[in-house]
Amino acid sequence: MTQQLNTSNHDRNAAGMTYVYPVVSRRAGGVSIGINLNPNNACDWHCAYCQVPDLVRGAAPAIDLALLQTELEAMLKEVMHGEFMQQRVPADCRRLCDIAISGNGEPTGCRDFAAVVDVVVAMMQAQDLDIPLRLISNGSYADKPGVQQGLLQMAAHHGEVWVKVDSATAAGIKRINGVSLTPERLFHQVETTARLCPSWIQTCMAAWDGMPPSEHEVVAYLDFLRALKIVGVPVQGVLLYGLARASMQPEAVHLSALDQEWMERLAARIDQTGYAVQISF
């Protein structure tokens, strides 16, 4: 493995493995070992900013758990005891910050999700790893028993979820996430996830045809956060980020990065809702 990693390169094939890949994560702040449960590039959402090429609608396939375990063990050995950090990672990012169940689609669409969590937790315990186990999710399968079982297992082992909320209007969700979803259903997904496992809201903001999100969109988003606070949903805070890598979707022609001042103003307004906010550009 010789390819140099950076925050702009999240190639799921960087290690030549089916399920396991390393990235330098700007939000996690170091090397993240990713678990890709969607090698078929299938997702039930179609986010305009998604960097997955050849994205299709669908769910994750059945997972070869033995292969996943073998790959994860090999990657951890290389990262922790090999030359990986020195050869492939910038000097200021040479720390293992988490294992993240993420990848090329919605990972909780995997029917083996709970079993995957069991494999990862067992490997972390075997390696005596005291790092977070993170799930990057849109929350759409939060009501499935197998997903809830996996979330509870994560919670029991210091896991956390980064659950997606990019818009809190039906029109905004349709445009940005490519799915017909009511704000009420999105609220239910976030609430269900957060009550099962410690959760952060993950929000991507971008300009569309050169224009930032409207004030109507921003107010709806802030009201969504306030509503979570009112009913006591235990959300840890908000991870706010902008475009850092090019979208591979047809909608990419509409997207551009927002300026830092706009993002900082939004972060200040999020802070006023009572939630901690971390911002990445």
Side-chain angles (χ1 to χ4, degrees), residues 43-57:
C43 189
D44 61 326
W45 285 22
H46 179 96
C47 295
Y49 54 79
C50 182
Q51 295 100 29
V52 175
D54 304 316
L55 184 70
V56 297
R57 296 278 185 177

Side-chain angles (χ1 to χ4, degrees), residues 1 3 5 9-25 27 30-39 51-52 68 71-72 74-76 79 84 88 96 98-105 107 134-136 245:
M1 297 185 295
Q3 184 183 12
L5 299 178
N9 175 18
H10 281 203
D11 181 5
R12 309 299 198 250
N13 297 313
M17 297 179 174
T18 300
Y19 302 118
V20 178
Y21 63 98
V23 298
V24 174
S25 171
R27 277 168 284 162
V31 173
S32 175
I33 294 179
I35 308 294
N36 180 17
L37 300 185
N38 303 76
Q51 295 100 29
V52 175
L68 170 60
E71 290 186 349
L72 182 55
M75 178 57 64
L76 286 171
V79 169
F84 176 88
R88 303 192 59 193
L96 179 58
D98 69 10
I99 295 177
I101 302 175
S102 181
N104 289 8
R134 292 188 168 112
L135 167 67
I136 316 301
R245 302 184 303 279

Side-chain angles (χ1 to χ4, degrees), residues 20 29 56 102-103 166 189 197 202 205 212 215 224 231 273-274 281:
V20 178
V56 297
S102 181
D166 297 324
Q189 293 174 183
C197 186
Q202 179 181 234
M205 287 287 178
E215 180 65 10
F224 186 96
V231 299
T273 69
F281 299 103

Side-chain angles (χ1 to χ4, degrees), residues 4-253:
Q4 187 73 11
L5 299 178
N6 55 59
T7 56
S8 297
N9 175 18
H10 281 203
D11 181 5
R12 309 299 198 250
N13 297 313
M17 297 179 174
T18 300
Y19 302 118
V20 178
Y21 63 98
V23 298
V24 174
S25 171
R26 64 192 167 122
R27 277 168 284 162
V31 173
S32 175
I33 294 179
I35 308 294
N36 180 17
L37 300 185
N38 303 76
N40 59 350
N41 294 356
C43 189
D44 61 326
W45 285 22
H46 179 96
C47 295
Y49 54 79
C50 182
Q51 295 100 29
V52 175
D54 304 316
L55 184 70
V56 297
R57 296 278 185 177
I63 302 300
D64 184 336
L65 295 172
L67 178 59
L68 170 60
Q69 180 174 331
T70 298
E71 290 186 349
L72 182 55
E73 184 176 19
M75 178 57 64
L76 286 171
K77 181 178 179 180
E78 179 68 18
V79 169
M80 297 170 63
H81 307 295
E83 299 299 319
F84 176 88
M85 291 292 192
Q86 289 71 29
Q87 292 182 356
R88 303 192 59 193
V89 179
D92 59 346
C93 298
R94 289 175 183 166
R95 73 178 190 95
L96 179 58
C97 57
D98 69 10
I99 295 177
I101 302 175
S102 181
N104 289 8
E106 173 50 41
T108 59
C110 168
R111 67 185 183 189
D112 308 306
F113 178 74
V116 167
V117 173
D118 287 342
V119 167
V120 177
V121 167
M123 187 63 61
M124 294 176 71
Q125 291 177 326
Q127 298 290 336
D128 195 27
L129 281 177
D130 185 21
I131 57 175
L133 170 57
R134 292 188 168 112
L135 167 67
I136 316 301
S137 176
N138 61 31
S140 57
Y141 294 91
D143 288 331
K144 295 178 74 71
V147 173
Q148 295 192 355
Q149 179 183 345
L151 291 175
L152 289 171
Q153 171 76 328
M154 287 183 61
H157 293 88
H158 309 294
E160 68 179 30
V161 183
W162 292 359
V163 61
K164 185 180 298 296
V165 179
D166 297 324
S167 171
T169 71
I173 295 167
K174 181 68 173 178
R175 182 170 68 174
I176 299 301
N177 304 123
V179 64
S180 296
L181 184 71
T182 66
E184 291 76 19
R185 176 63 192 178
L186 181 63
F187 189 97
H188 169 78
Q189 293 174 183
V190 172
E191 179 175 17
T192 301
T193 300
R195 293 197 187 281
L196 291 166
C197 186
S199 297
W200 289 74
I201 286 177
Q202 179 181 234
T203 298
C204 180
M205 287 287 178
W208 188 278
D209 292 336
M211 298 297 294
S214 68
E215 180 65 10
H216 171 72
E217 278 284 332
V218 171
V219 169
Y221 173 82
L222 296 171
D223 286 346
F224 186 96
L225 297 181
R226 293 188 185 96
L228 289 170
K229 180 74 73 172
I230 288 170
V231 299
V233 177
V235 169
Q236 309 297 301
V238 176
L239 304 172
L240 175 65
Y241 68 106
L243 296 180
R245 302 184 303 279
S247 166
M248 299 295 288
Q249 310 314 313
E251 294 84 358
V253 297

